[in-house]
């Protein structure tokens, strides 16, 4: 996909009125219309503690709980409320814990062993694609 300049974009959008609008203040608003999509599915086995600390995963829910050294699964959804269903599917498909869930942004972070997190992420992506008809992305691992 070729990149275009701001001026080229404005000319394409306002082709008939572009000369009249030149030099005037324009306000562009980006709007995202949520579709049915799993737009990120990534599995990380981080080696640095700062990742867990910055995500707040080093705290744990119960005293003495610490998730450092565990695998992290990141999944992002639209519509955002789909994250609640995804968390349910993940928990029922593998022995993972919810590290973070945001129903207002559609983000889900799973923690656990590598095999368990991978199973949970794969099942969530499969369920949303095959059962719910969502557009899904590939699962990446680093």
């Amino acid at each position: 996909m070729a990149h275009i300049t701001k001026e080229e974009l404005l000319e394409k959008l306002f082709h008939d009125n572009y000369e009249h609008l030149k030099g005037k203040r324009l306000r562009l608003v980006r709007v995202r219309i949520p579709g049915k999509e799993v737009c990120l599915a990534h599995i990380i086995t981080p080696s640095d503690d700062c990742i867990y600390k910055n995500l707040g995963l080093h705290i744990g829910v119960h005293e003495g709980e610490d998730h450092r050294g565990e695998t992290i699964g990141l999944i992002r959804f639209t519509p955002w409320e789909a994250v609640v269903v995804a968390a349910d599917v993940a928990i029922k498909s593998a022995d993972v814990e919810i590290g973070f869930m945001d129903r207002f942004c559609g983000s889900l972070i799973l923690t656990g062993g590598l095999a368990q997190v991978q199973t949970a992420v794969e099942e969530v992506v499969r369920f949303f694609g095959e059962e719910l008809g969502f557009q899904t992305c590939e699962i990446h691992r680093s």
Side-chain angles (χ1 to χ4, degrees):
M1 182 174 170
H3 287 33
I4 63 174
T5 66
K6 179 175 75 171
E7 288 75 22
E8 291 170 331
L9 173 65
L10 291 173
E11 191 168 352
K12 284 184 182 223
L13 292 174
F14 304 106
H15 56 282
D16 293 334
N17 297 325
Y18 184 67
E19 288 300 320
H20 174 69
L21 294 171
K22 265 188 182 174
K24 295 190 177 169
R25 275 187 88 149
L26 297 176
R27 181 175 152 204
L28 293 177
V29 178
R30 291 178 11 179
V31 177
R32 179 171 179 153
I33 300 170
K36 292 170 51 175
E37 179 180 38
V38 177
C39 45
L40 172 71
H42 194 83
I43 299 169
I44 305 173
T45 306
S47 58
D48 193 27
D49 284 350
C50 72
I51 294 172
Y52 297 97
K53 289 177 183 174
N54 286 320
L55 290 173
L57 298 174
H58 69 297
I59 299 169
V61 178
H62 305 288
E63 186 176 339
E65 193 173 305
D66 189 348
H67 295 285
R68 285 180 291 193
E70 292 184 351
T71 298
I72 299 172
L74 305 166
I75 314 173
R76 177 95 164 51
F77 303 87
T78 58
W80 307 301
E81 299 85 358
V83 73
V84 177
V85 175
D88 182 56
V89 170
I91 292 294
K92 289 176 179 174
S93 65
D95 185 20
V96 293
E97 291 193 29
I98 305 295
F100 178 76
M101 180 174 74
D102 186 348
R103 69 182 188 276
F104 301 109
C105 294
S107 301
L108 177 64
I109 298 177
L110 304 170
T111 60
L114 175 59
Q116 290 82 14
V117 170
Q118 187 163 339
T119 297
V121 171
E122 288 171 353
E123 181 57 21
V124 166
V125 171
R126 185 209 63 77
F127 179 82
F128 274 78
E130 294 177 14
E131 304 292 328
L132 300 180
F134 275 49
Q135 291 289 327
T136 60
C137 63
E138 290 183 35
I139 300 170
H140 294 276
R141 186 172 153 197
S142 63

Short mmCIF file of all heavy atoms in Angstrom, two decimals, residues 81-120:
data_model
loop_
_atom_site.label_atom_id
_atom_site.label_comp_id
_atom_site.label_asym_id
_atom_site.label_seq_id
_atom_site.Cartn_x
_atom_site.Cartn_y
_atom_site.Cartn_z
N GLU A 81 -16.99 -5.69 24.46
CA GLU A 81 -17.65 -6.54 25.44
C GLU A 81 -17.39 -8.02 25.19
O GLU A 81 -17.59 -8.85 26.08
CB GLU A 81 -19.17 -6.30 25.42
CG GLU A 81 -19.58 -4.89 25.75
CD GLU A 81 -19.55 -3.96 24.53
OE1 GLU A 81 -19.17 -4.38 23.42
OE2 GLU A 81 -19.90 -2.79 24.72
N ALA A 82 -16.92 -8.37 24.00
CA ALA A 82 -16.63 -9.76 23.67
C ALA A 82 -15.56 -10.34 24.57
O ALA A 82 -15.43 -11.56 24.71
CB ALA A 82 -16.19 -9.87 22.21
N VAL A 83 -14.80 -9.48 25.23
CA VAL A 83 -13.73 -9.94 26.11
C VAL A 83 -14.28 -10.77 27.27
O VAL A 83 -13.60 -11.68 27.76
CB VAL A 83 -12.89 -8.74 26.62
CG1 VAL A 83 -13.63 -7.94 27.66
CG2 VAL A 83 -11.56 -9.19 27.17
N VAL A 84 -15.51 -10.53 27.68
CA VAL A 84 -16.11 -11.29 28.77
C VAL A 84 -16.33 -12.74 28.33
O VAL A 84 -16.01 -13.68 29.06
CB VAL A 84 -17.45 -10.64 29.22
CG1 VAL A 84 -18.10 -11.47 30.30
CG2 VAL A 84 -17.21 -9.21 29.69
N VAL A 85 -16.83 -12.93 27.12
CA VAL A 85 -17.02 -14.27 26.57
C VAL A 85 -15.66 -14.95 26.39
O VAL A 85 -15.48 -16.13 26.71
CB VAL A 85 -17.78 -14.21 25.23
CG1 VAL A 85 -17.88 -15.58 24.59
CG2 VAL A 85 -19.15 -13.60 25.42
N ALA A 86 -14.69 -14.20 25.90
CA ALA A 86 -13.35 -14.75 25.68
C ALA A 86 -12.72 -15.23 26.98
O ALA A 86 -12.09 -16.29 27.02
CB ALA A 86 -12.45 -13.71 25.02
N ALA A 87 -12.90 -14.48 28.05
CA ALA A 87 -12.35 -14.88 29.34
C ALA A 87 -12.99 -16.19 29.80
O ALA A 87 -12.30 -17.09 30.29
CB ALA A 87 -12.57 -13.78 30.37
N ASP A 88 -14.29 -16.32 29.60
CA ASP A 88 -14.99 -17.54 29.97
C ASP A 88 -14.48 -18.74 29.16
O ASP A 88 -14.20 -19.80 29.72
CB ASP A 88 -16.50 -17.35 29.75
CG ASP A 88 -17.30 -18.57 30.16
OD1 ASP A 88 -17.18 -19.00 31.33
OD2 ASP A 88 -18.04 -19.10 29.31
N VAL A 89 -14.32 -18.55 27.85
CA VAL A 89 -13.82 -19.63 26.99
C VAL A 89 -12.41 -20.01 27.40
O VAL A 89 -12.06 -21.20 27.49
CB VAL A 89 -13.86 -19.20 25.50
CG1 VAL A 89 -13.13 -20.20 24.61
CG2 VAL A 89 -15.30 -19.03 25.04
N ALA A 90 -11.57 -19.04 27.67
CA ALA A 90 -10.17 -19.30 28.05
C ALA A 90 -10.07 -20.10 29.33
O ALA A 90 -9.34 -21.10 29.42
CB ALA A 90 -9.41 -17.98 28.18
N ILE A 91 -10.81 -19.68 30.35
CA ILE A 91 -10.77 -20.34 31.65
C ILE A 91 -11.27 -21.79 31.56
O ILE A 91 -10.76 -22.68 32.22
CB ILE A 91 -11.61 -19.55 32.68
CG1 ILE A 91 -10.96 -18.21 32.99
CG2 ILE A 91 -11.84 -20.34 33.95
CD1 ILE A 91 -9.63 -18.31 33.69
N LYS A 92 -12.29 -22.00 30.72
CA LYS A 92 -12.87 -23.34 30.59
C LYS A 92 -12.02 -24.26 29.71
O LYS A 92 -12.16 -25.48 29.78
CB LYS A 92 -14.28 -23.25 30.02
CG LYS A 92 -15.27 -22.67 31.01
CD LYS A 92 -16.64 -22.50 30.40
CE LYS A 92 -17.61 -21.93 31.43
NZ LYS A 92 -18.91 -21.63 30.81
N SER A 93 -11.14 -23.70 28.89
CA SER A 93 -10.36 -24.52 27.95
C SER A 93 -8.98 -24.90 28.46
O SER A 93 -8.38 -25.84 27.95
CB SER A 93 -10.23 -23.81 26.60
OG SER A 93 -9.47 -22.63 26.74
N ALA A 94 -8.47 -24.19 29.46
CA ALA A 94 -7.12 -24.48 29.95
C ALA A 94 -6.95 -23.92 31.36
O ALA A 94 -7.72 -23.06 31.80
CB ALA A 94 -6.07 -23.89 29.02
N ASP A 95 -5.92 -24.38 32.04
CA ASP A 95 -5.62 -23.93 33.40
C ASP A 95 -4.83 -22.62 33.34
O ASP A 95 -3.61 -22.60 33.47
CB ASP A 95 -4.83 -25.01 34.15
CG ASP A 95 -4.59 -24.65 35.60
OD1 ASP A 95 -5.33 -23.80 36.14
OD2 ASP A 95 -3.66 -25.22 36.19
N VAL A 96 -5.56 -21.52 33.06
CA VAL A 96 -4.95 -20.19 32.98
C VAL A 96 -5.67 -19.27 33.96
O VAL A 96 -6.76 -19.57 34.44
CB VAL A 96 -5.04 -19.61 31.55
CG1 VAL A 96 -4.18 -20.39 30.58
CG2 VAL A 96 -6.47 -19.53 31.07
N GLU A 97 -5.04 -18.14 34.22
CA GLU A 97 -5.65 -17.12 35.06
C GLU A 97 -5.81 -15.85 34.26
O GLU A 97 -5.04 -15.60 33.33
CB GLU A 97 -4.79 -16.86 36.30
CG GLU A 97 -4.78 -18.03 37.25
CD GLU A 97 -4.21 -17.66 38.61
OE1 GLU A 97 -4.33 -16.49 39.02
OE2 GLU A 97 -3.65 -18.55 39.25
N ILE A 98 -6.81 -15.07 34.64
CA ILE A 98 -7.01 -13.77 34.01
C ILE A 98 -6.05 -12.79 34.67
O ILE A 98 -6.18 -12.48 35.86
CB ILE A 98 -8.47 -13.27 34.20
CG1 ILE A 98 -9.47 -14.29 33.70
CG2 ILE A 98 -8.65 -11.90 33.54
CD1 ILE A 98 -9.45 -14.57 32.24
N GLY A 99 -5.07 -12.31 33.92
CA GLY A 99 -4.14 -11.30 34.43
C GLY A 99 -4.77 -9.93 34.40
O GLY A 99 -4.54 -9.09 35.27
N PHE A 100 -5.58 -9.69 33.36
CA PHE A 100 -6.23 -8.39 33.18
C PHE A 100 -7.36 -8.57 32.17
O PHE A 100 -7.21 -9.30 31.19
CB PHE A 100 -5.23 -7.35 32.67
CG PHE A 100 -5.82 -6.00 32.41
CD1 PHE A 100 -6.12 -5.15 33.46
CD2 PHE A 100 -6.08 -5.58 31.13
CE1 PHE A 100 -6.66 -3.89 33.23
CE2 PHE A 100 -6.63 -4.32 30.88
CZ PHE A 100 -6.91 -3.48 31.93
N MET A 101 -8.48 -7.89 32.41
CA MET A 101 -9.60 -7.92 31.47
C MET A 101 -10.24 -6.54 31.47
O MET A 101 -10.58 -6.01 32.53
CB MET A 101 -10.63 -8.97 31.90
CG MET A 101 -11.81 -9.05 30.97
SD MET A 101 -12.94 -10.40 31.37
CE MET A 101 -13.75 -9.77 32.82
N ASP A 102 -10.37 -5.94 30.28
CA ASP A 102 -10.96 -4.61 30.16
C ASP A 102 -12.11 -4.65 29.18
O ASP A 102 -11.89 -4.71 27.97
CB ASP A 102 -9.89 -3.62 29.71
CG ASP A 102 -10.39 -2.19 29.69
OD1 ASP A 102 -11.60 -1.96 29.82
OD2 ASP A 102 -9.54 -1.29 29.55
N ARG A 103 -13.33 -4.62 29.67
CA ARG A 103 -14.51 -4.70 28.79
C ARG A 103 -14.80 -3.37 28.10
O ARG A 103 -15.65 -3.29 27.25
CB ARG A 103 -15.73 -5.19 29.56
CG ARG A 103 -16.27 -4.24 30.57
CD ARG A 103 -17.45 -4.85 31.31
NE ARG A 103 -18.12 -3.91 32.15
CZ ARG A 103 -17.76 -3.58 33.38
NH1 ARG A 103 -16.70 -4.15 33.92
NH2 ARG A 103 -18.45 -2.70 34.08
N PHE A 104 -14.07 -2.31 28.47
CA PHE A 104 -14.25 -1.02 27.83
C PHE A 104 -13.28 -0.80 26.68
O PHE A 104 -13.48 0.09 25.86
CB PHE A 104 -14.12 0.11 28.85
CG PHE A 104 -15.12 -0.01 29.96
CD1 PHE A 104 -14.72 -0.36 31.24
CD2 PHE A 104 -16.47 0.20 29.72
CE1 PHE A 104 -15.65 -0.49 32.26
CE2 PHE A 104 -17.41 0.07 30.72
CZ PHE A 104 -16.99 -0.27 32.00
N CYS A 105 -12.22 -1.60 26.61
CA CYS A 105 -11.25 -1.50 25.51
C CYS A 105 -11.06 -2.82 24.78
O CYS A 105 -10.39 -2.87 23.76
CB CYS A 105 -9.90 -1.02 26.04
SG CYS A 105 -9.94 0.66 26.65
N GLY A 106 -11.60 -3.90 25.32
CA GLY A 106 -11.53 -5.19 24.65
C GLY A 106 -10.21 -5.91 24.80
O GLY A 106 -9.84 -6.70 23.94
N SER A 107 -9.49 -5.68 25.88
CA SER A 107 -8.20 -6.30 26.10
C SER A 107 -8.29 -7.42 27.13
O SER A 107 -8.93 -7.26 28.16
CB SER A 107 -7.18 -5.27 26.61
OG SER A 107 -7.05 -4.23 25.68
N LEU A 108 -7.62 -8.52 26.83
CA LEU A 108 -7.57 -9.66 27.74
C LEU A 108 -6.13 -10.13 27.85
O LEU A 108 -5.45 -10.31 26.84
CB LEU A 108 -8.44 -10.81 27.21
CG LEU A 108 -8.44 -12.10 28.03
CD1 LEU A 108 -9.03 -11.87 29.41
CD2 LEU A 108 -9.23 -13.18 27.29
N ILE A 109 -5.65 -10.29 29.09
CA ILE A 109 -4.32 -10.84 29.34
C ILE A 109 -4.50 -12.10 30.17
O ILE A 109 -5.12 -12.07 31.23
CB ILE A 109 -3.42 -9.83 30.10
CG1 ILE A 109 -3.20 -8.58 29.24
CG2 ILE A 109 -2.09 -10.48 30.46
CD1 ILE A 109 -2.38 -7.49 29.93
N LEU A 110 -3.95 -13.19 29.66
CA LEU A 110 -3.99 -14.48 30.35
C LEU A 110 -2.60 -14.81 30.84
O LEU A 110 -1.60 -14.46 30.19
CB LEU A 110 -4.45 -15.57 29.38
CG LEU A 110 -5.80 -15.35 28.70
CD1 LEU A 110 -6.00 -16.39 27.61
CD2 LEU A 110 -6.92 -15.40 29.72
N THR A 111 -2.50 -15.50 31.97
CA THR A 111 -1.20 -15.95 32.48
C THR A 111 -1.29 -17.43 32.82
O THR A 111 -2.35 -17.96 33.12
CB THR A 111 -0.77 -15.17 33.74
OG1 THR A 111 -1.73 -15.37 34.77
CG2 THR A 111 -0.60 -13.69 33.44
N GLY A 112 -0.13 -18.08 32.77
CA GLY A 112 -0.05 -19.49 33.10
C GLY A 112 1.15 -20.12 32.42
O GLY A 112 2.01 -19.43 31.89
N GLY A 113 1.18 -21.43 32.41
CA GLY A 113 2.24 -22.14 31.72
C GLY A 113 2.10 -21.98 30.22
O GLY A 113 1.02 -21.71 29.70
N LEU A 114 3.20 -22.20 29.50
CA LEU A 114 3.20 -22.00 28.05
C LEU A 114 2.14 -22.83 27.35
O LEU A 114 1.34 -22.32 26.56
CB LEU A 114 4.58 -22.31 27.47
CG LEU A 114 4.69 -22.26 25.95
CD1 LEU A 114 4.32 -20.90 25.41
CD2 LEU A 114 6.09 -22.65 25.51
N ALA A 115 2.08 -24.12 27.64
CA ALA A 115 1.11 -24.99 26.96
C ALA A 115 -0.33 -24.58 27.28
O ALA A 115 -1.19 -24.58 26.39
CB ALA A 115 1.34 -26.45 27.36
N GLN A 116 -0.59 -24.20 28.52
CA GLN A 116 -1.95 -23.81 28.91
C GLN A 116 -2.37 -22.50 28.24
O GLN A 116 -3.49 -22.37 27.76
CB GLN A 116 -2.06 -23.69 30.44
CG GLN A 116 -1.99 -25.00 31.17
CD GLN A 116 -0.55 -25.46 31.38
OE1 GLN A 116 0.40 -24.70 31.22
NE2 GLN A 116 -0.39 -26.73 31.75
N VAL A 117 -1.47 -21.51 28.25
CA VAL A 117 -1.80 -20.22 27.62
C VAL A 117 -2.00 -20.40 26.13
O VAL A 117 -2.93 -19.86 25.54
CB VAL A 117 -0.71 -19.16 27.94
CG1 VAL A 117 -0.92 -17.91 27.09
CG2 VAL A 117 -0.72 -18.81 29.41
N GLN A 118 -1.13 -21.19 25.51
CA GLN A 118 -1.27 -21.43 24.07
C GLN A 118 -2.60 -22.11 23.76
O GLN A 118 -3.30 -21.72 22.83
CB GLN A 118 -0.10 -22.26 23.56
CG GLN A 118 -0.11 -22.40 22.05
CD GLN A 118 1.23 -22.84 21.51
OE1 GLN A 118 2.26 -22.69 22.15
NE2 GLN A 118 1.21 -23.39 20.32
N THR A 119 -2.97 -23.11 24.54
CA THR A 119 -4.24 -23.79 24.35
C THR A 119 -5.41 -22.82 24.50
O THR A 119 -6.34 -22.82 23.69
CB THR A 119 -4.39 -24.95 25.36
OG1 THR A 119 -3.36 -25.90 25.11
CG2 THR A 119 -5.74 -25.62 25.25
N ALA A 120 -5.37 -21.99 25.54
CA ALA A 120 -6.46 -21.05 25.79
C ALA A 120 -6.58 -20.03 24.66
O ALA A 120 -7.70 -19.76 24.18
CB ALA A 120 -6.24 -20.34 27.12
#
